[in-house]
Amino acid sequence: MAIYLDNAATTALDKESKDYLIEIYNEYYANPSALHKMGLDAEKIYKKSILKACNLIKAKSHNFIITSGGTEGNNTGIWQIKKLKGNKKKILTSKLEHPSVLNYCNFLKDKEKIYIEYYGTNDDGSIDLEDLLSKIDKYTGLVTIPYVNSEIGFVQDIRKISESIKRLNDSILIHVDGVQGFGKLNIDVNELDIDTMSFSSHKIHGPKGLGGLYIKEPGKFLPLIYGGGQQNNLRSGTEDVPSIASFGKTCELAQRDMEKNYLRTKKINKRYRDLLKENIHDIIFNGNERNTSPYIINLSIKDIKSEVLIHFLEMDHIYVSSGSACSSNYKGISTTYDTLKISNDYVEGTIRISFGRYSKEEDAEFVVEKISKYVKEIRKMIRS
Amino acid sequence: MYNNISMSLGEIVLKGRNRGYFENKLNQSLRRIIDDKNLKIYRDRGKVFLDIDKDIDKMVKNISKVFGIVVVSPCVKIESDVDEIKNKVVEYVNFKKKNENVQTFKIQAKRADKTFPVKSMELNNILGGEVLKNIENIKVDVHNPDLIVYVDIRSKTYIYSEKYSGGGGLPVGSNGKGLVLLSGGIDSPVACYQMGKRGVKVDCISFHSYPYTSIRSNEKIKELSDILSVYTGQMKVYFVNILEIYRKIKENCQEKNTTIIARRFMMRISKEIAERDEYDCLITGESLGQVASQTIKSLKVIQNSVDIPILRPLIGNDKTDIIEIARDIDTYETSIKPFDDCCSIFSPENPVTRPTLDKILEDEGNLDVEELIKSTISNSVEIYNTK
C-alpha cells in the first residue's frame, strides 16, 4: 500500500464520489441543455451539485462557474483586466504565484500589451503588503494574490490585503488563486473583498479536470471561452454532469469534515515535524509554521538532492515531491524558492510533504525513518 | 491499380558467392515487417518482389526502412505479353493522368529477360505510340517528362513510375552481432542505426544508477530502442545498475578519474556480457573530442580495459551531422528529453581530460575490479525486449 504524501499535486478520488460518478454516468448522461425529460433530469443533478460547491465558499450559484480546473480559473480571473476601460493596463503579481498565474501574465504581456509588475514578498512566504500598496498607481487594473501557496503552504490574510487595496482604489480587480485552500480552510467569499477566486476539484479528492471560479459581478464578466452559451453565457461548453455531480459530492464531504480533517491533519503535521527535527540534522522548515496550512510541510535538507531522495523513497512506496533546482531541467525552477532565499547547500534538497484525507499519523514514524536512512546514504555519496 | 511492390538490392549484388546468404538475411528482415504469411515474397532475376493488393502505401513506407534495399516501387504486375503490356501501359498512364498533373511522358522499357521478342528501344516506340493514340492532351518528352513509365520485363512484366529510397546498406544479421552501449543521448542511437545498416545484428546495453537516476530515463531508453527496432529488428536491451561501482569509486578513487574509471567498468561489463551471449563487438556513439571522456587520450585508456573490438561509427562525425541523422531516423525528439542529465552527481566538477594509463591503473588498483564486475552482472542486470 502506497504512502501517498503528494496531495498538494493531486489526490485519490474519494470512494463515495467515485461511486456517485459512476452512478450518474450510467443514468444521467443526457445533455442538461436538452429539452427532453432526460435533459431536465441531468440539469437537476447539475444544479444540485453546483449548490454544494457554492456552499463550501458561501457563494450564490449565479456567482459561480464550473471550469476545467485551477489553471482555467486563474487564466479567466486574470483575463478580466481586459474588460477595464482606459489606461488600466497593469497587473500586480508576485513570484509566489502558481505558473498558471505567472505564465498567463507573461502571455498577456507579450500578446495583449499588459504591463506586469511584481510586488515584494517576505522571507517566510508572506506578501509584503506595504510594497504591494506602494506599487499601486493609476495604471493598476488587477492584483493577484495566492491564498495558500502551493509549495510552502503559507496562508495569506486575504481580507486584510484586499481591504487595503480597495481602500486605496476600489476599482482595482482582485483575483485570488484559492486552489490550495479550497475545501480545507474556511472560505466565505462575502467577507473577502475580492472579484474572482479559482478552485480545483482534484486537490480535495474530487474528479480531475474540473474546478470552479467565483465571480463577484457576473453581469460585468468577460468570458474566456465562447460557444453554446452554457452557464449563463459565462463559460460555454457542454457541462460534464457526472463529474460535476461527483465534485458536488466531494464538496459536501469536505464541508462536513472540514474541521475534523483540519485538526487531524494538524496533528499529523506536528508528528512529522517533530520526528523530522528529532532524526535529521541540518534541515530547515520553509515558511512560517504559524501561518502555514497544515496540509503542507516544505523542508530543505542540507547536502542532498531531493530528486534522488524521491527515488529512494519510491522504492518503499512512499511518495513525496520536490520542486528544487535539481529538476529545473524539465520543470522550471520554482519561483517560490527564489523568493524564500534558501541557501545554496539546502535548496537542492527541498521536498514537499503534503497531506490528504487518507494520510495517517502512524505512517510518520516509518516515513521519517526511511527519510533519515536515505539522507545519510545520499550525503555519503554527495559530501566530499 | 497496383498489385505488387518491387525492391532493388544494394551492395548485396556485389557479394558474389555469398549472395545467397545475404539474400536469406534480407528475406528474414522483410518477413519481420510483412506479417501476413499469405503475401508472397519472391525473386525474379536479381530483384525482389512482393504480391500485395491493399495497404500498398503503408507497406512501401515500411519497406523503405529495411536495410539492404536501395529502391522500392509500387508496381503493376502483368504477364510478359506485348498486347497485355500495351493495354496496361495505356491504363497506367490514364490512371496517373487522372491523379496528377501529367502533360508529358516517356516510356523506359528494359528487358532483364533477353528472350522477350521485342527489343527495349522498339518497345518504347510501340508503347509510346499506343499512349498517344489512346490518350488526349499528352505529349512525349524524352528529356524532362512529367511521368516516366518504367516497363521492366522479367518472367513477369512490372510497370511503375515511383521510386522510393530503401534503407540502403546490408541486411541486418549479415555482418555478425554487436552490443551497442546505448545512453539516452543523441549519439548512441545513431551509432546503433549506422551499424545496423552495415548488417550488424545489434542489441543494446544501458547503464544507470537508480535511485540516483530516474526510472523515467530507463523508460526513455526503452522508447529509443523501440524506435530503432523499426530498422534493426527486435532488440534486447540489457539494463545494468552500476550504483555499487560508483559507490566504490567514490570511496576509493580520485574524484577527477570517476568518469574514466566508470567508463572502463562499463566496457568490461559489456565485454563479459558480449562474450557470454556471443556478440562479436561493442559499439559506442563516441565522437572524438565531444566530451572529456572522448578525447584521444581518454579513448586510449578506455580501450585498454577490454580486448574486444570497439566500433565507433561516429568517431569522425560533427555533432550537426549526427543530429541530422538522428532527426531522419526519428530518435532526436526522444533523445533530447532531459531526464538523464538531471542529478548527474557522479560527474566530477573537473574531470581529467588527458588521463594516462599508469595513473588510472594505479587508482583502479584500489578496487576489486573482478569481484565488482561479477557481482554487478549477477545481481544488477534486467532485460527488456523491444516491441
Side-chain angles (χ1 to χ4, degrees):
Chain A
M1 181 72 176
I3 301 179
Y4 182 77
L5 296 168
D6 197 12
N7 291 281
T10 193
T11 55
L13 183 61
D14 180 273
K15 194 183 170 302
E16 273 185 65
S17 305
K18 182 163 66 186
D19 293 345
Y20 196 50
L21 178 75
I22 292 163
E23 186 191 324
I24 302 298
Y25 251 119
N26 287 336
E27 290 173 37
Y28 298 93
Y29 51 81
N31 191 321
S33 304
L35 293 176
H36 47 64
K37 182 170 179 303
M38 266 182 87
L40 177 66
D41 289 345
E43 191 190 355
K44 282 182 183 165
I45 299 273
Y46 165 77
K47 283 187 169 161
K48 196 173 84 181
S49 306
I50 293 285
L51 277 180
K52 290 177 188 168
C54 288
N55 284 343
L56 200 45
I57 54 167
K58 318 261 184 320
K60 301 252 165 49
S61 61
H62 69 267
N63 292 107
F64 189 88
I65 58 167
I66 290 289
T67 65
S68 61
T71 295
E72 187 191 321
N74 285 332
N75 282 204
T76 310
I78 297 164
W79 176 240
Q80 300 312 306
I81 191 166
K82 290 293 288 178
K83 72 186 180 192
L84 299 178
K85 303 271 185 296
N87 55 5
K88 297 276 194 185
K89 300 267 185 212
K90 187 170 95 171
I91 294 175
L92 271 177
T93 186
S94 83
K95 296 279 164 89
L96 289 173
E97 294 280 7
H98 188 265
S100 58
V101 170
L102 294 175
N103 290 331
Y104 194 68
C105 285
N106 285 336
F107 157 74
L108 292 178
K109 186 177 103 184
D110 291 346
K111 301 289 179 197
E112 299 285 340
K113 297 191 175 117
I114 296 293
Y115 182 63
I116 307 296
E117 194 174 2
Y118 298 94
Y119 55 82
T121 53
N122 302 314
D123 289 0
D124 63 356
S126 60
I127 281 172
D128 182 346
L129 185 56
E130 210 172 302
D131 187 62
L132 193 167
L133 296 175
S134 76
K135 288 197 160 82
I136 288 177
D137 55 26
K138 62 177 178 180
Y139 304 109
T140 309
L142 186 142
V143 180
T144 75
I145 313 168
Y147 181 26
V148 178
N149 169 279
S150 62
E151 308 273 3
I152 61 165
F154 192 95
V155 184
Q156 311 288 347
D157 186 345
I158 299 294
R159 189 174 177 175
K160 186 175 147 198
I161 299 167
S162 60
E163 274 177 5
S164 311
I165 296 169
K166 296 277 181 175
R167 205 176 301 133
L168 222 57
N169 182 343
D170 70 356
S171 71
I172 291 176
L173 300 175
I174 299 177
H175 171 71
V176 177
D177 174 353
V179 168
Q180 294 289 350
F182 179 64
K184 295 173 183 165
L185 309 177
N186 249 319
I187 300 174
D188 181 345
V189 288
N190 306 299
E191 288 177 359
L192 309 172
D193 207 351
I194 59 171
D195 297 90
T196 46
M197 189 174 196
S198 60
F199 310 104
S200 168
S201 151
H202 72 104
K203 309 276 191 194
I204 57 164
H205 304 276
K208 300 185 199 304
L210 200 75
L213 183 72
Y214 160 75
I215 304 162
K216 186 180 161 192
E217 293 182 301
K220 296 179 183 169
F221 183 74
L222 184 67
L224 187 70
I225 292 173
Y226 296 85
Q230 289 87 346
Q231 303 201 55
N232 295 326
N233 259 326
L234 302 181
R235 201 280 191 185
S236 286
T238 299
E239 298 90 341
D240 178 352
V241 174
S243 295
I244 292 166
S246 175
F247 175 46
K249 170 68 77 185
T250 307
C251 291
E252 192 182 349
L253 296 173
Q255 191 167 29
R256 187 190 73 193
D257 300 334
M258 189 181 291
E259 198 178 338
K260 193 178 89 189
N261 284 339
Y262 184 87
L263 294 173
R264 204 178 67 88
T265 307
K266 214 171 162 178
K267 229 174 119 206
I268 299 174
N269 183 304
K270 185 168 181 323
R271 181 85 180 126
Y272 269 91
R273 279 179 191 261
D274 290 348
L275 284 171
L276 285 163
K277 270 183 230 163
E278 219 170 278
N279 290 286
I280 303 166
H281 56 90
D282 292 339
I283 63 169
I284 46 174
F285 291 91
N286 298 310
N288 170 340
E289 196 176 337
R290 267 187 307 120
N291 296 317
T292 296
S293 160
Y295 288 89
I296 293 177
I297 297 178
N298 187 298
L299 70 155
S300 299
I301 306 173
K302 197 179 176 194
D303 292 332
I304 69 151
K305 297 210 182 229
S306 53
E307 189 172 336
V308 177
L309 180 59
I310 284 167
H311 295 321
F312 268 106
L313 291 172
E314 77 197 0
M315 296 193 295
D316 291 313
H317 308 287
I318 298 168
Y319 301 96
V320 302
S321 82
S322 75
S324 68
C326 185
S327 42
S328 64
N329 276 345
Y330 52 99
K331 285 179 196 148
I333 188 162
S334 160
T335 50
T336 301
Y337 297 128
D338 272 358
T339 65
L340 294 176
K341 303 188 184 79
I342 305 169
S343 71
N344 278 340
D345 41 356
Y346 278 92
V347 72
E348 290 201 346
T350 302
I351 62 167
R352 181 185 66 187
I353 297 172
S354 52
F355 306 108
R357 196 176 303 161
Y358 302 118
S359 304
K360 292 197 215 88
E361 190 182 347
E362 54 266 35
D363 289 336
E365 209 156 311
F366 177 72
V367 171
V368 174
E369 181 200 315
K370 292 293 177 190
I371 292 178
S372 170
K373 177 181 155 198
Y374 297 135
V375 163
K376 275 184 203 136
E377 183 154 353
I378 297 166
R379 278 176 177 166
K380 213 163 81 186
M381 285 293 270
I382 292 177
R383 276 182 175 160
S384 13
Chain B
M1 112 164 263
Y2 294 117
N3 58 3
N4 190 281
I5 294 173
S6 79
M7 293 159 257
S8 310
L9 311 183
E11 292 173 48
I12 301 175
V13 296
L14 306 172
K15 295 299 172 189
R17 269 185 294 169
N18 290 326
R19 181 168 172 167
Y21 172 74
F22 283 90
E23 286 185 340
N24 193 19
K25 290 292 175 191
L26 178 67
N27 243 339
Q28 288 172 10
S29 297
L30 286 171
R31 266 298 156 211
R32 193 165 45 72
I33 54 166
I34 305 167
D35 320 330
D36 187 349
K37 297 280 177 281
N38 296 323
L39 297 179
K40 194 175 138 209
I41 304 172
Y42 61 96
R43 283 202 293 275
D44 187 350
R45 290 170 199 260
K47 275 173 111 178
V48 174
F49 296 90
L50 170 69
D51 283 332
I52 181 170
D53 51 11
K54 58 178 184 208
D55 292 336
I56 292 193
D57 288 351
K58 196 176 148 203
M59 186 58 82
V60 166
K61 205 176 155 203
N62 288 341
I63 291 174
S64 72
K65 291 174 180 166
V66 173
F67 295 139
I69 288 169
V70 283
V71 177
V72 48
S73 301
C75 52
V76 182
K77 175 187 172 185
I78 50 169
E79 293 299 326
S80 292
D81 169 87
V82 179
D83 285 334
E84 192 172 347
I85 295 172
K86 275 202 241 168
N87 290 339
K88 221 42 176 188
V89 164
V90 171
E91 196 184 323
Y92 185 76
V93 174
N94 248 329
F95 163 74
K96 294 300 276 185
K97 202 168 182 294
K98 213 177 285 170
N99 294 307
E100 292 158 38
N101 179 24
V102 175
Q103 290 175 352
T104 57
F105 79 104
K106 168 189 172 180
I107 305 286
Q108 193 155 315
K110 196 181 158 198
R111 291 180 309 160
D113 173 11
K114 300 293 180 197
T115 66
F116 188 75
V118 187
K119 288 188 175 168
S120 304
M121 287 299 285
E122 200 187 332
L123 193 58
N124 286 344
N125 289 335
I126 292 171
L127 295 174
E130 200 67 18
V131 170
L132 292 173
K133 197 168 80 189
N134 288 290
I135 300 174
E136 290 180 346
N137 299 325
I138 195 159
K139 280 190 275 189
V140 172
D141 180 348
V142 288
H143 301 296
N144 194 19
D146 297 332
L147 176 71
I148 302 176
V149 180
Y150 299 95
V151 181
D152 188 4
I153 299 162
R154 295 171 185 259
S155 308
K156 304 282 177 181
T157 290
Y158 303 88
I159 300 166
Y160 61 95
S161 61
E162 297 158 51
K163 288 177 161 189
Y164 301 98
S165 298
L170 293 166
V172 166
S174 64
N175 250 336
K177 274 175 77 184
L179 191 58
V180 183
L181 279 75
L182 190 67
S183 73
I186 296 168
D187 303 342
S188 53
V190 174
C192 178
Y193 166 81
Q194 299 274 66
M195 295 322 296
K197 189 172 178 178
R198 293 312 300 163
V200 179
K201 167 76 187 84
V202 281
D203 284 314
C204 301
I205 184 165
S206 186
F207 297 91
H208 64 96
S209 44
Y210 180 80
Y212 284 81
T213 52
S214 146
I215 299 174
R216 282 194 169 89
S217 63
N218 287 5
E219 290 303 311
K220 173 176 157 180
I221 303 267
K222 289 178 188 172
E223 215 174 291
L224 281 170
S225 57
D226 285 340
I227 297 171
L228 288 164
S229 68
V230 170
Y231 304 95
T232 61
Q234 206 198 28
M235 290 195 295
K236 201 190 269 186
V237 185
Y238 298 85
F239 281 101
V240 187
N241 190 336
I242 52 167
L243 176 59
E244 199 46 39
I245 291 172
Y246 273 118
R247 214 174 251 151
K248 286 287 188 298
I249 295 174
K250 173 91 185 169
E251 284 167 14
N252 300 294
C253 305
Q254 293 180 45
E255 193 197 351
K256 64 175 183 184
N257 294 332
T258 307
T259 310
I260 297 280
I261 294 178
R263 285 294 284 180
R264 282 168 59 88
F265 269 101
M266 293 180 203
M267 289 298 171
R268 288 187 183 109
I269 290 166
S270 305
K271 184 208 137 180
E272 290 298 322
I273 290 176
E275 285 185 347
R276 186 190 72 190
D277 296 352
E278 297 176 334
Y279 294 93
D280 307 302
C281 62
L282 303 182
I283 296 161
T284 74
E286 285 158 318
S287 159
L288 192 63
Q290 208 180 87
V291 292
S293 64
Q294 296 177 18
T295 64
I296 199 93
K297 300 259 186 230
S298 299
L299 292 181
K300 186 179 159 193
V301 174
I302 291 166
Q303 174 87 63
N304 171 271
S305 58
V306 288
D307 53 359
I308 183 171
I310 301 174
L311 306 183
R312 300 179 173 93
L314 310 181
I315 198 70
N317 286 64
D318 290 347
K319 193 79 187 181
T320 47
D321 303 336
I322 298 171
I323 288 174
E324 202 172 309
I325 301 172
R327 284 189 201 277
D328 278 351
I329 62 173
D330 278 345
T331 53
Y332 182 74
E333 293 302 327
T334 305
S335 283
I336 59 172
K337 289 182 188 168
F339 300 116
D340 60 334
D341 296 333
C342 189
C343 293
S344 51
I345 50 179
F346 303 120
S347 307
E349 253 173 60
N350 297 303
V352 56
T353 54
R354 297 166 62 85
T356 62
L357 192 54
D358 301 353
K359 294 250 171 69
I360 295 294
L361 286 176
E362 193 190 320
D363 211 9
E364 223 173 58
N366 299 319
L367 304 170
D368 187 346
V369 174
E370 293 306 314
E371 178 51 33
L372 273 172
I373 291 171
K374 223 174 98 187
S375 65
T376 303
I377 290 176
S378 47
N379 302 329
S380 309
V381 181
E382 278 173 51
I383 292 174
Y384 167 75
N385 290 304
T386 60
K387 284 174 191 158

